[in-house]
């Protein structure tokens, strides 16, 4: 293996693995599945590394691989795993402990979404893609994307009413 190639790849992984893991976690809702998704995407990227001419576009390539991998995974699943409902805090205030409670509530609420709903929300609100771009990326109609976004937000509001009253996330 070429030392320059290996050094470039290592530098990319060290610099961007945290951001890639966060995206993967939002797509999967599970820490271990997110690690697997990042590893799979990085392995595919390493195989194509020499063919990627624009080094500024490498992260976009990795993210696209992650999206396609995750979409393929939820399409292969015949059943949707249900997550039992946990407790929700009664009130969220201004302190550090309350901010941690808010993150836990958000994590539980996101875990209750289907993988498809979680994927669409990540693409729409985290990656800031338009509904048309999401539909093209996932191979579905724009109406399906809109209905999934609407249902996802309804489920989040129902799962964690405290989230609809909070303006800033700490």
């Amino acid at each position: 293996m070429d030392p320059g190639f290996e050094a470039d790849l290592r530098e990319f992984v060290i610099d961007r693995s945290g951001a890639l893991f966060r995206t993967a976690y939002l797509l999967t809702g599970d820490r271990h599945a997110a690690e697997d998704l990042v590893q799979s995407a990085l392995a595919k990227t390493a195989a194509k590394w020499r063919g990627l001419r624009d080094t500024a576009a490498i992260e976009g390539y990795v993210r696209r691989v992650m999206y396609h991998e995750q979409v393929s995974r939820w399409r292969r699943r015949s059943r949707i795993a249900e997550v039992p409902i946990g407790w929700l805090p009664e009130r969220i205030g201004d302190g550090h402990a309350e901010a941690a409670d808010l993150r836990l509530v958000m994590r539980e609420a996101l875990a209750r979404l289907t993988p498809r709903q979680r994927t669409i929300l990540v693409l729409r609100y985290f990656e800031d893609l338009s509904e048309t771009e999401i539909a093209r990326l996932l191979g579905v109609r724009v109406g399906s994307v809109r209905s999934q976004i609407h249902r996802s937000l309804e489920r989040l509001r129902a799962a964690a009413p405290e989230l609809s009253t909070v303006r800033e996330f700490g």
Side-chain angles (χ1 to χ4, degrees):
M1 186 179 282
D2 178 23
F5 159 77
E6 191 173 328
D8 290 345
L9 181 60
R10 182 177 294 125
E11 181 182 340
F12 174 78
V13 170
I14 290 169
D15 289 345
R16 301 308 305 155
S17 61
L20 294 172
F21 177 77
R22 285 189 295 275
T23 300
Y25 181 79
L26 290 170
L27 285 170
T28 63
D30 178 60
R31 180 176 171 220
H32 302 291
E35 289 172 354
D36 292 343
L37 186 61
V38 170
Q39 289 300 318
S40 175
L42 288 174
K44 289 183 178 185
T45 303
K48 300 274 187 181
W49 189 267
R50 293 175 205 251
L52 298 172
R53 299 194 189 281
D54 184 9
T55 55
I58 292 174
E59 185 170 356
Y61 178 83
V62 175
R63 288 177 186 267
R64 176 164 278 196
V65 169
M66 286 192 320
Y67 298 142
H68 287 289
E69 281 286 314
Q70 183 60 20
V71 167
S72 295
R73 287 178 185 177
W74 64 252
R75 281 184 178 164
R76 283 191 299 260
R77 253 185 237 148
S78 60
R79 291 184 348 195
I80 297 172
E82 295 293 325
V83 177
I85 297 174
W87 64 275
L88 297 176
E90 292 180 21
R91 185 172 160 249
I92 297 178
D94 292 329
H96 178 70
E98 288 80 12
D101 286 343
L102 177 61
R103 285 191 294 275
L104 289 173
V105 169
M106 187 62 154
R107 176 181 281 171
E108 287 179 14
L110 286 171
R112 293 179 58 201
L113 296 177
T114 65
R116 176 179 235 176
Q117 288 173 331
R118 209 171 22 251
T119 300
I120 288 175
L121 284 181
V122 167
L123 292 172
R124 180 69 180 114
Y125 297 107
F126 186 73
E127 293 297 326
D128 201 27
L129 296 180
S130 70
E131 293 167 346
T132 306
E133 291 170 320
I134 295 168
R136 185 179 35 79
L137 183 65
L138 299 179
V140 298
R141 288 186 273 159
V142 175
S144 296
V145 171
R146 287 182 183 144
S147 66
Q148 288 294 321
I149 289 172
H150 179 73
R151 287 187 197 122
S152 302
L153 294 176
E154 280 182 345
R155 286 182 75 178
L156 285 175
R157 287 183 192 110
E162 295 88 355
L163 295 177
S164 63
T165 62
V166 175
R167 297 285 183 222
E168 293 182 32
F169 293 101

